[in-house]
Amino acid sequence: MGRLEGKVAFITGAARGQGRSHAIRLAQEGADIIAIDICEDVAANPYKGATEEDLAETVRQVEALDRRIVATKADVRNFEQLKKAVDDGVAQLGKLDIVAANAGIAGTPHHSEDIPEEEWLDMIDINLTGVWRTVKAAIPHLKANKGGSIIITSSDAGLFAYANISHYVSAKHGLVGLMRTLALELAPDMIRVNSVHPTTVDTDMVQNETIYKLFRPDLENPTKEDFAAAATMMNALPIPWVEAVDISNGVLFFASDESRYITGVPLPIDAGAAVK
Ligand SMILES: NC(=O)c1ccc[n+]([C@@H]2O[C@H](COP(=O)([O-])OP(=O)(O)OC[C@H]3O[C@@H](n4cnc5c(N)ncnc54)[C@H](O)[C@@H]3O)[C@@H](O)[C@H]2O)c1
């Protein structure tokens, strides 16, 4: 028996990166999947967005595991799109047990006083309010299910500060407040709420020129190797980054009954960055 046999999971940002990895890892353990992704470039984000082909590849990989998946193009800035996607998914798959609120952007680095107001608002709208909209759409289904598990993807930037990305740091800290409040509000319904806090993860969000320059302002044309050296300095374990599946394994633990009495916990998955 898989650790999630018979369960259904709703995952945002599932077209690529960690979201796709969560879909595959949870499906490997028996879950059916409701997946959404914007599948478009996001303004103010300096790297390429996911595509509809990326989401189709997630579908292909989940179906190859003999699990069902309902995938929809939807934006976490639009509550109606999210509600329709999760309602349709539940109508087809029967219920909802798990929510992985993972969609997010890195945005463009600036000193706080130089952040254009639209970029600040877009960051909060996607990385903080988008998670609230995701759980708002899902909670009625979790209550109807008489229990469930919500896992919110924050970041080490939700636990401490990084210069030049105060919009991102503020959104990710805000998620800890949202997670703790939801844990309190939803406990009587046997719905658990926890967050995961990754260090650098090897995905398109960080493997791009803007992030290389954020980490290596000392170099004119920093390479992946230059970035790796700086990223390694942040972690206690001598590695530059973790893989998406390392975060998926944390999500799987919170999704499974192995964590049945754990709620309100922010879990660093960060090669020891938080203890440095
Ligand atoms: N990569 C890292 O180093 C790192 C570290 C800590 C936390 N995180 C967080 O992990 C999560 C996943 O990021 P990733 O590393 O897989 O990056 P990624 O860019 O590969 O994946 C993010 C996904 O979210 C989707 N998305 C973005 N805006 C959306 C919107 N408005 N509506 C719906 N979908 C949207 C993208 O299309 C993409 O598929 C994010 O919340 C990110 O902040 C990433």
Side-chain angles (χ1 to χ4, degrees), residues 13 15-19 36-40 42 47 50 74-77 102-105 126-127 153-155 168 172 198-201 203-206:
R16 71 177 189 195
Q18 294 175 57
I36 71 103
D37 200 288
I38 189 171
C39 301
E40 277 176 21
V42 174
Y47 52 91
D75 186 340
V76 298
R77 285 168 293 188
N102 158 83
I105 59 167
I126 294 174
N127 282 18
T153 298
S154 175
S155 167
Y168 186 83
K172 293 297 189 183
T199 184
T200 310
V201 188
T203 68
D204 292 333
M205 178 175 282
V206 294

PDB file of all heavy atoms in Angstrom, residues 13 15-19 36-40 42 47 50 74-77 102-105 126-127 153-155 168 172 198-201 203-206, ligand 1:
ATOM      1  N   GLY A  13       0.956  25.483  -9.007  1.00  0.00           N
ATOM      2  CA  GLY A  13       2.303  25.626  -9.581  1.00  0.00           C
ATOM      3  C   GLY A  13       2.862  24.281  -9.994  1.00  0.00           C
ATOM      4  O   GLY A  13       4.058  24.012  -9.849  1.00  0.00           O
ATOM      5  N   ALA A  15       3.151  22.803 -12.976  1.00  0.00           N
ATOM      6  CA  ALA A  15       3.643  22.558 -14.338  1.00  0.00           C
ATOM      7  C   ALA A  15       5.106  22.133 -14.368  1.00  0.00           C
ATOM      8  O   ALA A  15       5.540  21.435 -15.286  1.00  0.00           O
ATOM      9  CB  ALA A  15       3.445  23.807 -15.199  1.00  0.00           C
ATOM     10  N   ARG A  16       5.885  22.582 -13.368  1.00  0.00           N
ATOM     11  CA  ARG A  16       7.325  22.267 -13.414  1.00  0.00           C
ATOM     12  C   ARG A  16       7.900  22.380 -11.998  1.00  0.00           C
ATOM     13  O   ARG A  16       7.175  22.641 -11.024  1.00  0.00           O
ATOM     14  CB  ARG A  16       8.043  23.227 -14.364  1.00  0.00           C
ATOM     15  CG  ARG A  16       8.148  24.642 -13.824  1.00  0.00           C
ATOM     16  CD  ARG A  16       8.929  25.577 -14.735  1.00  0.00           C
ATOM     17  NE  ARG A  16       9.177  26.842 -14.061  1.00  0.00           N
ATOM     18  CZ  ARG A  16       9.572  27.946 -14.661  1.00  0.00           C
ATOM     19  NH1 ARG A  16       9.757  27.968 -15.973  1.00  0.00           N
ATOM     20  NH2 ARG A  16       9.791  29.037 -13.961  1.00  0.00           N
ATOM     21  N   GLY A  17       9.189  22.212 -11.878  1.00  0.00           N
ATOM     22  CA  GLY A  17       9.899  22.461 -10.620  1.00  0.00           C
ATOM     23  C   GLY A  17       9.347  21.638  -9.470  1.00  0.00           C
ATOM     24  O   GLY A  17       9.008  20.458  -9.612  1.00  0.00           O
ATOM     25  N   GLN A  18       9.250  22.287  -8.308  1.00  0.00           N
ATOM     26  CA  GLN A  18       8.793  21.569  -7.112  1.00  0.00           C
ATOM     27  C   GLN A  18       7.356  21.084  -7.242  1.00  0.00           C
ATOM     28  O   GLN A  18       7.004  20.015  -6.770  1.00  0.00           O
ATOM     29  CB  GLN A  18       8.906  22.483  -5.896  1.00  0.00           C
ATOM     30  CG  GLN A  18      10.345  22.846  -5.554  1.00  0.00           C
ATOM     31  CD  GLN A  18      10.409  23.844  -4.417  1.00  0.00           C
ATOM     32  OE1 GLN A  18       9.900  23.598  -3.339  1.00  0.00           O
ATOM     33  NE2 GLN A  18      11.054  24.978  -4.659  1.00  0.00           N
ATOM     34  N   GLY A  19       6.485  21.886  -7.888  1.00  0.00           N
ATOM     35  CA  GLY A  19       5.081  21.497  -8.016  1.00  0.00           C
ATOM     36  C   GLY A  19       4.932  20.207  -8.799  1.00  0.00           C
ATOM     37  O   GLY A  19       4.173  19.310  -8.413  1.00  0.00           O
ATOM     38  N   ILE A  36      -2.951  22.799 -10.870  1.00  0.00           N
ATOM     39  CA  ILE A  36      -3.136  24.045 -11.623  1.00  0.00           C
ATOM     40  C   ILE A  36      -1.797  24.738 -11.814  1.00  0.00           C
ATOM     41  O   ILE A  36      -0.865  24.558 -11.019  1.00  0.00           O
ATOM     42  CB  ILE A  36      -4.144  25.043 -10.973  1.00  0.00           C
ATOM     43  CG1 ILE A  36      -3.581  25.673  -9.695  1.00  0.00           C
ATOM     44  CG2 ILE A  36      -5.486  24.397 -10.706  1.00  0.00           C
ATOM     45  CD1 ILE A  36      -3.093  27.078  -9.852  1.00  0.00           C
ATOM     46  N   ASP A  37      -1.717  25.528 -12.864  1.00  0.00           N
ATOM     47  CA  ASP A  37      -0.543  26.383 -13.082  1.00  0.00           C
ATOM     48  C   ASP A  37      -0.963  27.509 -14.020  1.00  0.00           C
ATOM     49  O   ASP A  37      -1.840  27.331 -14.863  1.00  0.00           O
ATOM     50  CB  ASP A  37       0.614  25.601 -13.706  1.00  0.00           C
ATOM     51  CG  ASP A  37       1.951  26.290 -13.491  1.00  0.00           C
ATOM     52  OD1 ASP A  37       2.205  27.343 -14.135  1.00  0.00           O
ATOM     53  OD2 ASP A  37       2.757  25.796 -12.674  1.00  0.00           O
ATOM     54  N   ILE A  38      -0.309  28.649 -13.902  1.00  0.00           N
ATOM     55  CA  ILE A  38      -0.628  29.784 -14.779  1.00  0.00           C
ATOM     56  C   ILE A  38      -0.164  29.525 -16.207  1.00  0.00           C
ATOM     57  O   ILE A  38      -0.730  30.045 -17.164  1.00  0.00           O
ATOM     58  CB  ILE A  38      -0.034  31.098 -14.221  1.00  0.00           C
ATOM     59  CG1 ILE A  38      -0.544  32.305 -14.983  1.00  0.00           C
ATOM     60  CG2 ILE A  38       1.477  31.059 -14.196  1.00  0.00           C
ATOM     61  CD1 ILE A  38      -0.190  33.638 -14.370  1.00  0.00           C
ATOM     62  N   CYS A  39       0.906  28.731 -16.383  1.00  0.00           N
ATOM     63  CA  CYS A  39       1.429  28.370 -17.717  1.00  0.00           C
ATOM     64  C   CYS A  39       1.668  29.601 -18.587  1.00  0.00           C
ATOM     65  O   CYS A  39       1.355  29.607 -19.787  1.00  0.00           O
ATOM     66  CB  CYS A  39       0.476  27.415 -18.434  1.00  0.00           C
ATOM     67  SG  CYS A  39       0.160  25.879 -17.575  1.00  0.00           S
ATOM     68  N   GLU A  40       2.177  30.644 -18.005  1.00  0.00           N
ATOM     69  CA  GLU A  40       2.486  31.889 -18.745  1.00  0.00           C
ATOM     70  C   GLU A  40       3.648  32.590 -18.056  1.00  0.00           C
ATOM     71  O   GLU A  40       3.867  32.376 -16.864  1.00  0.00           O
ATOM     72  CB  GLU A  40       1.291  32.866 -18.656  1.00  0.00           C
ATOM     73  CG  GLU A  40       0.199  32.629 -19.647  1.00  0.00           C
ATOM     74  CD  GLU A  40      -0.985  33.577 -19.419  1.00  0.00           C
ATOM     75  OE1 GLU A  40      -0.797  34.642 -18.786  1.00  0.00           O
ATOM     76  OE2 GLU A  40      -2.087  33.211 -19.858  1.00  0.00           O
ATOM     77  N   VAL A  42       5.176  35.620 -16.065  1.00  0.00           N
ATOM     78  CA  VAL A  42       4.562  36.542 -15.108  1.00  0.00           C
ATOM     79  C   VAL A  42       5.331  37.868 -15.192  1.00  0.00           C
ATOM     80  O   VAL A  42       6.557  37.884 -15.077  1.00  0.00           O
ATOM     81  CB  VAL A  42       4.632  35.964 -13.676  1.00  0.00           C
ATOM     82  CG1 VAL A  42       4.128  36.969 -12.658  1.00  0.00           C
ATOM     83  CG2 VAL A  42       3.841  34.663 -13.597  1.00  0.00           C
ATOM     84  N   TYR A  47      12.606  35.730 -15.210  1.00  0.00           N
ATOM     85  CA  TYR A  47      12.930  34.461 -15.891  1.00  0.00           C
ATOM     86  C   TYR A  47      11.667  33.913 -16.550  1.00  0.00           C
ATOM     87  O   TYR A  47      10.555  34.326 -16.224  1.00  0.00           O
ATOM     88  CB  TYR A  47      13.506  33.448 -14.882  1.00  0.00           C
ATOM     89  CG  TYR A  47      12.643  33.260 -13.656  1.00  0.00           C
ATOM     90  CD1 TYR A  47      11.664  32.276 -13.603  1.00  0.00           C
ATOM     91  CD2 TYR A  47      12.777  34.114 -12.553  1.00  0.00           C
ATOM     92  CE1 TYR A  47      10.852  32.126 -12.488  1.00  0.00           C
ATOM     93  CE2 TYR A  47      11.969  33.973 -11.439  1.00  0.00           C
ATOM     94  CZ  TYR A  47      11.014  32.983 -11.417  1.00  0.00           C
ATOM     95  OH  TYR A  47      10.205  32.843 -10.324  1.00  0.00           O
ATOM     96  N   ALA A  50       6.460  28.909 -16.738  1.00  0.00           N
ATOM     97  CA  ALA A  50       6.121  27.570 -17.220  1.00  0.00           C
ATOM     98  C   ALA A  50       5.166  27.693 -18.414  1.00  0.00           C
ATOM     99  O   ALA A  50       4.597  28.758 -18.658  1.00  0.00           O
ATOM    100  CB  ALA A  50       5.466  26.774 -16.097  1.00  0.00           C
ATOM    101  N   ALA A  74      -4.701  27.922 -14.531  1.00  0.00           N
ATOM    102  CA  ALA A  74      -5.366  28.878 -13.635  1.00  0.00           C
ATOM    103  C   ALA A  74      -4.314  29.720 -12.928  1.00  0.00           C
ATOM    104  O   ALA A  74      -3.178  29.285 -12.726  1.00  0.00           O
ATOM    105  CB  ALA A  74      -6.229  28.132 -12.607  1.00  0.00           C
ATOM    106  N   ASP A  75      -4.729  30.921 -12.552  1.00  0.00           N
ATOM    107  CA  ASP A  75      -3.837  31.906 -11.930  1.00  0.00           C
ATOM    108  C   ASP A  75      -4.230  32.035 -10.454  1.00  0.00           C
ATOM    109  O   ASP A  75      -5.420  32.260 -10.162  1.00  0.00           O
ATOM    110  CB  ASP A  75      -4.040  33.252 -12.670  1.00  0.00           C
ATOM    111  CG  ASP A  75      -3.073  34.335 -12.225  1.00  0.00           C
ATOM    112  OD1 ASP A  75      -2.496  34.229 -11.128  1.00  0.00           O
ATOM    113  OD2 ASP A  75      -2.920  35.306 -12.989  1.00  0.00           O
ATOM    114  N   VAL A  76      -3.275  31.933  -9.544  1.00  0.00           N
ATOM    115  CA  VAL A  76      -3.614  32.054  -8.117  1.00  0.00           C
ATOM    116  C   VAL A  76      -4.047  33.477  -7.743  1.00  0.00           C
ATOM    117  O   VAL A  76      -4.504  33.703  -6.628  1.00  0.00           O
ATOM    118  CB  VAL A  76      -2.479  31.571  -7.175  1.00  0.00           C
ATOM    119  CG1 VAL A  76      -2.180  30.094  -7.376  1.00  0.00           C
ATOM    120  CG2 VAL A  76      -1.220  32.422  -7.316  1.00  0.00           C
ATOM    121  N   ARG A  77      -3.936  34.422  -8.685  1.00  0.00           N
ATOM    122  CA  ARG A  77      -4.472  35.767  -8.437  1.00  0.00           C
ATOM    123  C   ARG A  77      -5.962  35.844  -8.725  1.00  0.00           C
ATOM    124  O   ARG A  77      -6.570  36.902  -8.535  1.00  0.00           O
ATOM    125  CB  ARG A  77      -3.740  36.798  -9.321  1.00  0.00           C
ATOM    126  CG  ARG A  77      -2.350  37.115  -8.820  1.00  0.00           C
ATOM    127  CD  ARG A  77      -1.551  37.889  -9.832  1.00  0.00           C
ATOM    128  NE  ARG A  77      -1.248  37.091 -11.012  1.00  0.00           N
ATOM    129  CZ  ARG A  77      -0.430  37.465 -11.979  1.00  0.00           C
ATOM    130  NH1 ARG A  77       0.175  38.622 -11.907  1.00  0.00           N
ATOM    131  NH2 ARG A  77      -0.197  36.675 -13.007  1.00  0.00           N
ATOM    132  N   ASN A 102       1.886  25.733  -3.506  1.00  0.00           N
ATOM    133  CA  ASN A 102       3.304  25.812  -3.874  1.00  0.00           C
ATOM    134  C   ASN A 102       3.620  26.922  -4.867  1.00  0.00           C
ATOM    135  O   ASN A 102       4.752  27.408  -4.921  1.00  0.00           O
ATOM    136  CB  ASN A 102       3.698  24.434  -4.450  1.00  0.00           C
ATOM    137  CG  ASN A 102       4.917  24.479  -5.332  1.00  0.00           C
ATOM    138  OD1 ASN A 102       6.042  24.454  -4.845  1.00  0.00           O
ATOM    139  ND2 ASN A 102       4.731  24.559  -6.658  1.00  0.00           N
ATOM    140  N   ALA A 103       2.618  27.373  -5.657  1.00  0.00           N
ATOM    141  CA  ALA A 103       2.906  28.344  -6.728  1.00  0.00           C
ATOM    142  C   ALA A 103       3.554  29.599  -6.158  1.00  0.00           C
ATOM    143  O   ALA A 103       3.153  30.093  -5.098  1.00  0.00           O
ATOM    144  CB  ALA A 103       1.613  28.717  -7.462  1.00  0.00           C
ATOM    145  N   GLY A 104       4.541  30.118  -6.870  1.00  0.00           N
ATOM    146  CA  GLY A 104       5.190  31.342  -6.405  1.00  0.00           C
ATOM    147  C   GLY A 104       6.181  31.858  -7.428  1.00  0.00           C
ATOM    148  O   GLY A 104       6.550  31.158  -8.377  1.00  0.00           O
ATOM    149  N   ILE A 105       6.591  33.102  -7.223  1.00  0.00           N
ATOM    150  CA  ILE A 105       7.583  33.746  -8.095  1.00  0.00           C
ATOM    151  C   ILE A 105       8.737  34.265  -7.238  1.00  0.00           C
ATOM    152  O   ILE A 105       8.583  34.472  -6.036  1.00  0.00           O
ATOM    153  CB  ILE A 105       6.976  34.912  -8.901  1.00  0.00           C
ATOM    154  CG1 ILE A 105       6.389  35.990  -7.952  1.00  0.00           C
ATOM    155  CG2 ILE A 105       5.904  34.414  -9.873  1.00  0.00           C
ATOM    156  CD1 ILE A 105       6.059  37.307  -8.628  1.00  0.00           C
ATOM    157  N   ILE A 126       0.594  37.180  -5.539  1.00  0.00           N
ATOM    158  CA  ILE A 126       0.869  35.778  -5.919  1.00  0.00           C
ATOM    159  C   ILE A 126       1.357  34.977  -4.714  1.00  0.00           C
ATOM    160  O   ILE A 126       0.775  33.941  -4.358  1.00  0.00           O
ATOM    161  CB  ILE A 126       1.911  35.724  -7.069  1.00  0.00           C
ATOM    162  CG1 ILE A 126       1.318  36.345  -8.340  1.00  0.00           C
ATOM    163  CG2 ILE A 126       2.360  34.280  -7.320  1.00  0.00           C
ATOM    164  CD1 ILE A 126       2.293  36.484  -9.491  1.00  0.00           C
ATOM    165  N   ASN A 127       2.427  35.446  -4.064  1.00  0.00           N
ATOM    166  CA  ASN A 127       3.103  34.586  -3.073  1.00  0.00           C
ATOM    167  C   ASN A 127       2.400  34.526  -1.716  1.00  0.00           C
ATOM    168  O   ASN A 127       2.611  33.586  -0.958  1.00  0.00           O
ATOM    169  CB  ASN A 127       4.548  35.063  -2.883  1.00  0.00           C
ATOM    170  CG  ASN A 127       5.458  34.619  -4.018  1.00  0.00           C
ATOM    171  OD1 ASN A 127       4.979  34.244  -5.090  1.00  0.00           O
ATOM    172  ND2 ASN A 127       6.754  34.647  -3.796  1.00  0.00           N
ATOM    173  N   THR A 153       4.047  26.170   0.925  1.00  0.00           N
ATOM    174  CA  THR A 153       5.467  26.348   0.614  1.00  0.00           C
ATOM    175  C   THR A 153       5.871  27.780   0.900  1.00  0.00           C
ATOM    176  O   THR A 153       5.476  28.705   0.186  1.00  0.00           O
ATOM    177  CB  THR A 153       5.759  25.997  -0.853  1.00  0.00           C
ATOM    178  OG1 THR A 153       5.430  24.624  -1.053  1.00  0.00           O
ATOM    179  CG2 THR A 153       7.237  26.204  -1.168  1.00  0.00           C
ATOM    180  N   SER A 154       6.636  27.942   1.979  1.00  0.00           N
ATOM    181  CA  SER A 154       7.245  29.242   2.269  1.00  0.00           C
ATOM    182  C   SER A 154       8.679  29.163   1.753  1.00  0.00           C
ATOM    183  O   SER A 154       8.904  28.795   0.585  1.00  0.00           O
ATOM    184  CB  SER A 154       7.153  29.545   3.767  1.00  0.00           C
ATOM    185  OG  SER A 154       7.826  30.734   4.084  1.00  0.00           O
ATOM    186  N   SER A 155       9.658  29.434   2.606  1.00  0.00           N
ATOM    187  CA  SER A 155      11.064  29.500   2.185  1.00  0.00           C
ATOM    188  C   SER A 155      11.884  29.747   3.446  1.00  0.00           C
ATOM    189  O   SER A 155      11.333  30.148   4.480  1.00  0.00           O
ATOM    190  CB  SER A 155      11.232  30.686   1.227  1.00  0.00           C
ATOM    191  OG  SER A 155      12.592  30.981   1.008  1.00  0.00           O
ATOM    192  N   TYR A 168       9.649  39.579  -1.428  1.00  0.00           N
ATOM    193  CA  TYR A 168       9.618  38.112  -1.316  1.00  0.00           C
ATOM    194  C   TYR A 168       9.679  37.683   0.159  1.00  0.00           C
ATOM    195  O   TYR A 168       8.897  36.848   0.612  1.00  0.00           O
ATOM    196  CB  TYR A 168      10.799  37.534  -2.102  1.00  0.00           C
ATOM    197  CG  TYR A 168      10.832  36.020  -2.213  1.00  0.00           C
ATOM    198  CD1 TYR A 168      10.085  35.361  -3.194  1.00  0.00           C
ATOM    199  CD2 TYR A 168      11.617  35.244  -1.361  1.00  0.00           C
ATOM    200  CE1 TYR A 168      10.120  33.972  -3.312  1.00  0.00           C
ATOM    201  CE2 TYR A 168      11.659  33.861  -1.469  1.00  0.00           C
ATOM    202  CZ  TYR A 168      10.913  33.227  -2.452  1.00  0.00           C
ATOM    203  OH  TYR A 168      10.955  31.846  -2.564  1.00  0.00           O
ATOM    204  N   LYS A 172       6.793  35.645   2.203  1.00  0.00           N
ATOM    205  CA  LYS A 172       7.094  34.314   2.761  1.00  0.00           C
ATOM    206  C   LYS A 172       6.986  34.310   4.296  1.00  0.00           C
ATOM    207  O   LYS A 172       6.602  33.293   4.879  1.00  0.00           O
ATOM    208  CB  LYS A 172       8.484  33.850   2.302  1.00  0.00           C
ATOM    209  CG  LYS A 172       8.571  33.563   0.786  1.00  0.00           C
ATOM    210  CD  LYS A 172       7.660  32.435   0.348  1.00  0.00           C
ATOM    211  CE  LYS A 172       7.893  32.004  -1.099  1.00  0.00           C
ATOM    212  NZ  LYS A 172       6.953  30.959  -1.541  1.00  0.00           N
ATOM    213  N   PRO A 198      12.183  25.725   2.209  1.00  0.00           N
ATOM    214  CA  PRO A 198      13.386  25.269   1.511  1.00  0.00           C
ATOM    215  C   PRO A 198      14.511  26.307   1.523  1.00  0.00           C
ATOM    216  O   PRO A 198      14.257  27.520   1.505  1.00  0.00           O
ATOM    217  CB  PRO A 198      12.911  25.060   0.066  1.00  0.00           C
ATOM    218  CG  PRO A 198      11.419  25.113   0.091  1.00  0.00           C
ATOM    219  CD  PRO A 198      11.058  25.958   1.276  1.00  0.00           C
ATOM    220  N   THR A 199      15.739  25.806   1.527  1.00  0.00           N
ATOM    221  CA  THR A 199      16.880  26.618   1.104  1.00  0.00           C
ATOM    222  C   THR A 199      16.831  26.678  -0.424  1.00  0.00           C
ATOM    223  O   THR A 199      15.798  26.383  -1.032  1.00  0.00           O
ATOM    224  CB  THR A 199      18.207  25.977   1.601  1.00  0.00           C
ATOM    225  OG1 THR A 199      19.290  26.841   1.256  1.00  0.00           O
ATOM    226  CG2 THR A 199      18.457  24.603   0.967  1.00  0.00           C
ATOM    227  N   THR A 200      17.905  27.027  -1.081  1.00  0.00           N
ATOM    228  CA  THR A 200      17.928  27.039  -2.544  1.00  0.00           C
ATOM    229  C   THR A 200      17.569  25.651  -3.087  1.00  0.00           C
ATOM    230  O   THR A 200      18.099  24.643  -2.624  1.00  0.00           O
ATOM    231  CB  THR A 200      19.343  27.414  -3.039  1.00  0.00           C
ATOM    232  OG1 THR A 200      19.759  28.589  -2.345  1.00  0.00           O
ATOM    233  CG2 THR A 200      19.360  27.659  -4.533  1.00  0.00           C
ATOM    234  N   VAL A 201      16.647  25.627  -4.037  1.00  0.00           N
ATOM    235  CA  VAL A 201      16.245  24.386  -4.704  1.00  0.00           C
ATOM    236  C   VAL A 201      16.630  24.504  -6.174  1.00  0.00           C
ATOM    237  O   VAL A 201      16.437  25.570  -6.783  1.00  0.00           O
ATOM    238  CB  VAL A 201      14.719  24.142  -4.588  1.00  0.00           C
ATOM    239  CG1 VAL A 201      14.359  22.758  -5.110  1.00  0.00           C
ATOM    240  CG2 VAL A 201      14.245  24.314  -3.147  1.00  0.00           C
ATOM    241  N   THR A 203      15.870  24.637  -9.332  1.00  0.00           N
ATOM    242  CA  THR A 203      14.770  24.784 -10.298  1.00  0.00           C
ATOM    243  C   THR A 203      15.006  26.027 -11.151  1.00  0.00           C
ATOM    244  O   THR A 203      15.918  26.820 -10.881  1.00  0.00           O
ATOM    245  CB  THR A 203      13.407  24.949  -9.585  1.00  0.00           C
ATOM    246  OG1 THR A 203      13.414  26.215  -8.913  1.00  0.00           O
ATOM    247  CG2 THR A 203      13.121  23.824  -8.602  1.00  0.00           C
ATOM    248  N   ASP A 204      14.119  26.225 -12.138  1.00  0.00           N
ATOM    249  CA  ASP A 204      14.228  27.398 -13.035  1.00  0.00           C
ATOM    250  C   ASP A 204      14.150  28.719 -12.279  1.00  0.00           C
ATOM    251  O   ASP A 204      14.617  29.745 -12.765  1.00  0.00           O
ATOM    252  CB  ASP A 204      13.097  27.367 -14.073  1.00  0.00           C
ATOM    253  CG  ASP A 204      13.262  26.208 -15.049  1.00  0.00           C
ATOM    254  OD1 ASP A 204      14.407  25.779 -15.268  1.00  0.00           O
ATOM    255  OD2 ASP A 204      12.240  25.733 -15.573  1.00  0.00           O
ATOM    256  N   MET A 205      13.503  28.696 -11.089  1.00  0.00           N
ATOM    257  CA  MET A 205      13.376  29.939 -10.318  1.00  0.00           C
ATOM    258  C   MET A 205      14.731  30.523  -9.937  1.00  0.00           C
ATOM    259  O   MET A 205      14.877  31.744  -9.840  1.00  0.00           O
ATOM    260  CB  MET A 205      12.545  29.687  -9.057  1.00  0.00           C
ATOM    261  CG  MET A 205      12.393  30.902  -8.179  1.00  0.00           C
ATOM    262  SD  MET A 205      11.316  30.662  -6.776  1.00  0.00           S
ATOM    263  CE  MET A 205       9.724  30.794  -7.524  1.00  0.00           C
ATOM    264  N   VAL A 206      15.713  29.670  -9.703  1.00  0.00           N
ATOM    265  CA  VAL A 206      17.022  30.181  -9.278  1.00  0.00           C
ATOM    266  C   VAL A 206      18.120  30.003 -10.328  1.00  0.00           C
ATOM    267  O   VAL A 206      19.128  30.715 -10.281  1.00  0.00           O
ATOM    268  CB  VAL A 206      17.493  29.536  -7.949  1.00  0.00           C
ATOM    269  CG1 VAL A 206      16.574  29.946  -6.812  1.00  0.00           C
ATOM    270  CG2 VAL A 206      17.614  28.036  -8.045  1.00  0.00           C
TER     271      VAL A 206
HETATM  272  N1  LIG B   1      13.783  27.374  -5.994  1.00  0.00           N
HETATM  273  C1  LIG B   1      14.128  27.816  -4.801  1.00  0.00           C
HETATM  274  O1  LIG B   1      15.316  28.015  -4.493  1.00  0.00           O
HETATM  275  C2  LIG B   1      13.076  28.060  -3.741  1.00  0.00           C
HETATM  276  C3  LIG B   1      13.499  28.207  -2.408  1.00  0.00           C
HETATM  277  C4  LIG B   1      12.534  28.410  -1.418  1.00  0.00           C
HETATM  278  C5  LIG B   1      11.193  28.459  -1.760  1.00  0.00           C
HETATM  279  N2  LIG B   1      10.818  28.320  -3.065  1.00  0.00           N
HETATM  280  C6  LIG B   1       9.379  28.345  -3.360  1.00  0.00           C
HETATM  281  O2  LIG B   1       9.004  27.113  -3.948  1.00  0.00           O
HETATM  282  C7  LIG B   1       7.839  27.296  -4.752  1.00  0.00           C
HETATM  283  C8  LIG B   1       8.023  26.589  -6.085  1.00  0.00           C
HETATM  284  O3  LIG B   1       9.060  27.200  -6.823  1.00  0.00           O
HETATM  285  P1  LIG B   1      10.043  26.407  -7.831  1.00  0.00           P
HETATM  286  O4  LIG B   1      11.385  26.440  -7.226  1.00  0.00           O
HETATM  287  O5  LIG B   1       9.445  25.094  -8.186  1.00  0.00           O
HETATM  288  O6  LIG B   1      10.057  27.411  -9.088  1.00  0.00           O
HETATM  289  P2  LIG B   1       9.399  27.307 -10.561  1.00  0.00           P
HETATM  290  O7  LIG B   1       9.463  28.666 -11.135  1.00  0.00           O
HETATM  291  O8  LIG B   1      10.037  26.188 -11.314  1.00  0.00           O
HETATM  292  O9  LIG B   1       7.883  26.873 -10.267  1.00  0.00           O
HETATM  293  C9  LIG B   1       6.897  27.774  -9.836  1.00  0.00           C
HETATM  294  C10 LIG B   1       5.594  27.420 -10.550  1.00  0.00           C
HETATM  295  O10 LIG B   1       4.567  28.310 -10.086  1.00  0.00           O
HETATM  296  C11 LIG B   1       3.844  28.751 -11.225  1.00  0.00           C
HETATM  297  N3  LIG B   1       3.214  30.059 -10.972  1.00  0.00           N
HETATM  298  C12 LIG B   1       3.830  31.256 -10.833  1.00  0.00           C
HETATM  299  N4  LIG B   1       2.932  32.234 -10.688  1.00  0.00           N
HETATM  300  C13 LIG B   1       1.706  31.643 -10.719  1.00  0.00           C
HETATM  301  C14 LIG B   1       0.371  32.137 -10.628  1.00  0.00           C
HETATM  302  N5  LIG B   1       0.119  33.456 -10.505  1.00  0.00           N
HETATM  303  N6  LIG B   1      -0.654  31.258 -10.681  1.00  0.00           N
HETATM  304  C15 LIG B   1      -0.406  29.920 -10.848  1.00  0.00           C
HETATM  305  N7  LIG B   1       0.837  29.402 -10.968  1.00  0.00           N
HETATM  306  C16 LIG B   1       1.879  30.262 -10.897  1.00  0.00           C
HETATM  307  C17 LIG B   1       4.876  28.832 -12.330  1.00  0.00           C
HETATM  308  O11 LIG B   1       4.264  28.850 -13.614  1.00  0.00           O
HETATM  309  C18 LIG B   1       5.721  27.607 -12.059  1.00  0.00           C
HETATM  310  O12 LIG B   1       5.258  26.462 -12.740  1.00  0.00           O
HETATM  311  C19 LIG B   1       7.628  28.806  -4.836  1.00  0.00           C
HETATM  312  O13 LIG B   1       6.608  29.190  -3.927  1.00  0.00           O
HETATM  313  C20 LIG B   1       8.954  29.372  -4.380  1.00  0.00           C
HETATM  314  O14 LIG B   1       8.839  30.669  -3.831  1.00  0.00           O
HETATM  315  C21 LIG B   1      11.723  28.118  -4.061  1.00  0.00           C
END
